[in-house]
């Protein structure tokens, strides 16, 4: 390290060096509502698009961000500090890329951008560096030339970090909450039915085209605050017109892991969902609704534990003044309400036999391997999901994806899951760390493991055909059976492979052409 004299001799002015300080961001006040555009993103494209419709219906000017790409990663690494995780590089880089586009191509001045735009992002869910990254966002924005740009932090468990008084333009009221929850449900449902139908579509691109029209119907209903059921029936009609062939034997692959990495659909996770489909797999994605149910489970679990800590919590049953029994009742009511509304929307649009995870079951099967008290990321859910995937034969392969160095998820997937795969040798499990580059290596590893999954799916199908004693001619006639051609038809669950389940659930007398 050079001394002060050496620095002065070299012309380095020590006195002008200042420590970075993160000022309190300007708030989003009511007087600014008409002139301020809210930028946000971070979920799937379906979720972000529908949330935009909800917020516009509440009177906000909103724009959801495009899915982050490798160019976003370049901006993030250029202006961000070293050692950050993938979600931060991609997210802040995507924001800076868009602001530079506004400045250099649209022609909006830096001052107008800082004054008239703000960005809302999620915060940490536990022991993660992501909890400090809102400061990194502001630092990167300053270095990119947008000093003072507002970044508001939305904590997953404690709401929006800014004043919520009468002067605040963001009103986190009942309309905001229910509108957001509806958008989450609908985004999950569209994604689930899309991944269920697309691998078996006869006409390439038919599912994506139908989903695009469905998103527009639902967006308009949310934007104009209309009743959703008519829009859902219009979606049902669009999806019902898709022709499918479920005789195709495809392995089912479940994507689990760190929330952002398993949710994003772009270069942040090497577009794993579409890559797996292009390689001949049916993909099972995790729902954002499941995360809401997990937060409810956390509240109920913690309340049950603290109710009996008389030495730590005052009161006869602990939690004095908190009414623990009432809290438990409210948590149970919220869980039932969410599941009921979700299934109402799902069945209306045509998504049958879709089951939201049982949080008590997940905690029960995982607690011996991962303490339920530990929080951060998906917590014990990653362990529980893998165990249930194997024991219940839900999927042929489980793929765990997380950012490079993600502490909660890496500790689970690279540590605990090693023991799980030893206890359940039938598990086809692959952990993937994403860095934004090295896609070829990642794809190669997936292809090698997917080969095993394809063999497992074919074995399930062959066993189903043998047990049903179907002839070759009868198998050929399956392509005309209604169970194999209707996009909404489902069967009882026997194994992971969908084609095998349909064979198990088909009787000879049903194998007639569908009119």
């Amino acid at each position: 390290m050079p001394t002060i004299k050496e620095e002065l001799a070299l012309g380095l002015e020590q006195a002008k060096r200042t420590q970075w300080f993160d000022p309190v961001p300007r708030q989003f006040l009511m007087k600014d509502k008409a002139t301020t555009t809210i930028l946000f993103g971070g979920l799937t494209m379906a979720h972000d698009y529908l949330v935009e419709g909800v917020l516009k219906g509440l009177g906000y000017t909103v724009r959801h961000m495009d899915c982050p790409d490798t160019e976003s990663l370049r901006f993030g690494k250029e202006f961000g500090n070293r050692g950050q995780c993938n979600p931060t590089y991609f997210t802040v880089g995507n924001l800076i890329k868009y602001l530079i586009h506004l400045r250099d191509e649209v022609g909006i001045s830096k001052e107008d951008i800082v004054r008239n735009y703000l960005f809302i992002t999620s915060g940490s869910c536990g022991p993660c560096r992501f909890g400090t990254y809102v400061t990194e966002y502001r630092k990167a924005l300053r270095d990119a030339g947008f000093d003072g740009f507002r970044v508001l932090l939305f904590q997953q468990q404690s709401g929006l970090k800014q004043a919520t008084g009468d002067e605040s333009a963001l009103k986190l009221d009942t309309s905001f909450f229910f509108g957001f929850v509806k958008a989450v449900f609908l985004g999950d449902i569209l994604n689930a039915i899309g991944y269920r139908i697309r691998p078996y579509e006869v006409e390439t691109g038919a599912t994506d085209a139908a989903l695009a029209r469905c998103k527009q119907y639902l967006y308009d209903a949310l934007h104009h605050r209309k009743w959703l059921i008519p829009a859902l029936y219009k979606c049902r009609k669009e999806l019902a017109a898709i022709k499918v062939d479920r005789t195709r034997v495809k392995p089912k692959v479940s994507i689990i892991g760190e929330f952002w990495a398993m949710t994003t659909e772009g270069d942040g996770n090497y577009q794993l969902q579409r890559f797996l489909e292009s390689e001949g797999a049916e993909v099972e994605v995790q729902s954002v609704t499941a995360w809401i149910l997990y937060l409810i489970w956390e509240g109920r679990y913690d309340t049950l534990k603290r109710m009996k800590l008389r030495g730590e919590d005052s009161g006869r049953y602990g939690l004095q003044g908190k009414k623990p029994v009432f809290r438990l009742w409210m948590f149970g009511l919220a869980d039932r309400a969410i599941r009921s509304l979700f299934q109402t929307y799902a069945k209306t649009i045509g998504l049958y036999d879709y089951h939201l995870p049982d949080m008590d079951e997940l905690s029960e099967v995982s607690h011996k391997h991962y303490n339920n008290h530990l929080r951060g990321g998906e917590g014990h859910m990653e362990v529980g999901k893998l165990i249930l995937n194997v024991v219940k034969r839900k999927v042929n392969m489980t793929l765990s994806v997380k950012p490079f160095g993600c502490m909660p998820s890496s500790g689970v997937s690279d540590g605990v899951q090693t023991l799980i795969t030893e206890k359940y040798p039938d598990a086809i499990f692959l952990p993937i760390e994403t860095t934004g580059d090295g896609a070829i290596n990642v794809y190669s590893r997936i292809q090698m493991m997917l080969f095993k999954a394809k063999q497992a799916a074919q074995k399930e199908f062959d066993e189903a055909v043998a047990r049903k004693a179907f002839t070759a001619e009868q198998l050929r006639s399956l392509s005309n059976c209604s169970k194999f051609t209707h996009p909404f038809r489902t069967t009882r669950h026997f194994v992971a492979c969908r084609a095998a389940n349909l064979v198990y659930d088909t009787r000879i007398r049903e194998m007639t052409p569908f009119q």
Side-chain angles (χ1 to χ4, degrees), residues 237-296:
K237 184 177 180 180
E238 294 282 356
L239 295 168
I242 302 173
K243 296 180 179 179
V244 299
D245 177 12
R246 297 199 191 276
T247 61
R248 302 170 182 174
V249 180
K250 293 178 177 287
K252 186 180 290 186
V253 180
S254 176
I255 298 178
I256 64 173
E258 188 271 334
F259 184 82
W260 185 88
M262 73 176 181
T263 303
T264 188
E265 298 166 315
D267 294 333
N269 67 358
Y270 310 112
Q271 303 182 44
L272 286 181
Q273 298 92 332
R274 291 304 179 115
F275 174 74
L276 286 166
E277 287 187 346
S278 69
E279 291 294 315
E282 177 186 350
V283 180
E284 179 186 84
V285 295
Q286 307 303 312
S287 65
V288 180
T289 305
W291 179 258
I292 299 175
L293 293 174
Y294 175 61
L295 295 181
I296 293 173

Side-chain angles (χ1 to χ4, degrees), residues 292-473:
I292 299 175
L293 293 174
Y294 175 61
L295 295 181
I296 293 173
W297 176 89
E298 279 186 335
R300 182 160 47 87
Y301 181 84
D302 292 345
T303 301
L304 285 169
K305 293 297 182 182
R306 290 186 63 187
M307 280 177 66
K308 301 177 183 179
L309 290 176
R310 299 183 188 179
E312 301 295 332
D313 289 305
S314 57
R316 182 179 178 184
Y317 296 108
L319 292 174
Q320 185 175 17
K322 300 295 185 179
K323 299 180 180 180
V325 176
F326 178 74
R327 290 181 65 179
L328 291 174
W329 183 82
M330 289 299 295
F331 283 132
L333 179 64
D335 184 274
R336 290 191 295 272
I338 286 173
R339 293 177 187 276
S340 177
L341 184 59
F342 183 95
Q343 292 299 340
T344 298
Y345 290 162
K347 291 177 181 178
T348 303
I349 206 172
L351 180 64
Y352 298 108
D353 294 323
Y354 182 86
H355 304 287
L356 291 169
D358 184 332
M359 291 299 160
D360 290 328
E361 183 181 31
L362 281 173
S363 65
E364 178 65 26
V365 300
S366 61
H367 81 280
K368 293 181 179 179
H369 311 289
Y370 194 95
N371 195 319
N372 294 151
H373 289 283
L374 296 177
R375 303 294 155 80
E378 289 269 294
H380 60 262
M381 287 200 294
E382 284 189 52
V383 175
K385 288 173 183 177
L386 176 59
I387 293 174
L388 292 180
N389 281 347
V390 179
V391 172
K392 293 191 173 184
R393 305 185 72 177
K394 296 176 64 175
V395 298
N396 300 108
M397 172 180 166
T398 303
L399 177 64
S400 178
V401 56
K402 66 272 186 184
F404 175 76
C406 175
M407 292 179 285
S409 189
S410 293
V412 175
S413 295
D414 297 339
V416 179
Q417 303 288 41
T418 303
L419 174 63
I420 303 301
T421 52
E422 288 182 359
K423 294 191 66 173
Y424 301 93
D426 290 339
I428 301 177
F429 175 74
L430 177 65
I432 291 292
E433 285 193 334
T434 63
T435 61
D437 53 14
I440 298 300
N441 291 332
V442 171
Y443 290 159
S444 177
R445 291 182 61 199
I446 294 174
Q447 286 172 328
M448 288 188 290
M449 198 63 73
L450 192 59
F451 177 75
K452 297 181 180 179
K454 289 180 178 179
Q455 288 182 316
Q458 187 64 51
K459 181 181 178 181
E460 290 176 345
F461 184 79
D462 293 341
E463 289 177 350
V465 171
R467 290 188 182 184
K468 299 292 286 191
F470 285 167
T471 65
E473 185 176 343

Side-chain angles (χ1 to χ4, degrees), residues 153-224:
L153 181 65
F154 188 90
Q155 290 283 23
Q156 293 172 343
Q157 294 177 314
S158 56
L160 191 70
K161 292 298 184 182
Q162 81 139 33
T164 56
D166 295 336
E167 294 299 317
S168 174
L170 275 174
K171 298 297 182 182
L172 305 183
D173 53 15
T174 304
S175 297
F176 181 96
F177 173 76
F178 281 111
F180 179 82
V181 168
K182 287 179 182 178
V184 168
F185 291 172
L186 296 173
D188 284 338
I189 291 167
L190 288 179
N191 287 335
I193 200 167
Y195 285 113
R196 179 181 286 187
I197 295 175
R198 187 166 43 242
Y200 304 97
E201 63 186 7
V202 174
E203 181 184 348
T204 303
T207 306
D208 286 337
L211 287 174
R213 294 189 289 270
C214 292
K215 291 175 188 177
Q216 188 62 56
Y217 298 149
L218 296 173
Y219 180 96
D220 292 341
L222 293 169
H223 182 190
H224 299 292

Side-chain angles (χ1 to χ4, degrees), residues 41-60:
L43 300 176
T44 71
M45 295 308 294
H47 287 98
D48 290 345
Y49 182 62
L50 295 176
V51 170
E52 178 186 298
V54 169
L55 295 180
K56 282 189 175 181
L58 296 175
Y60 298 101

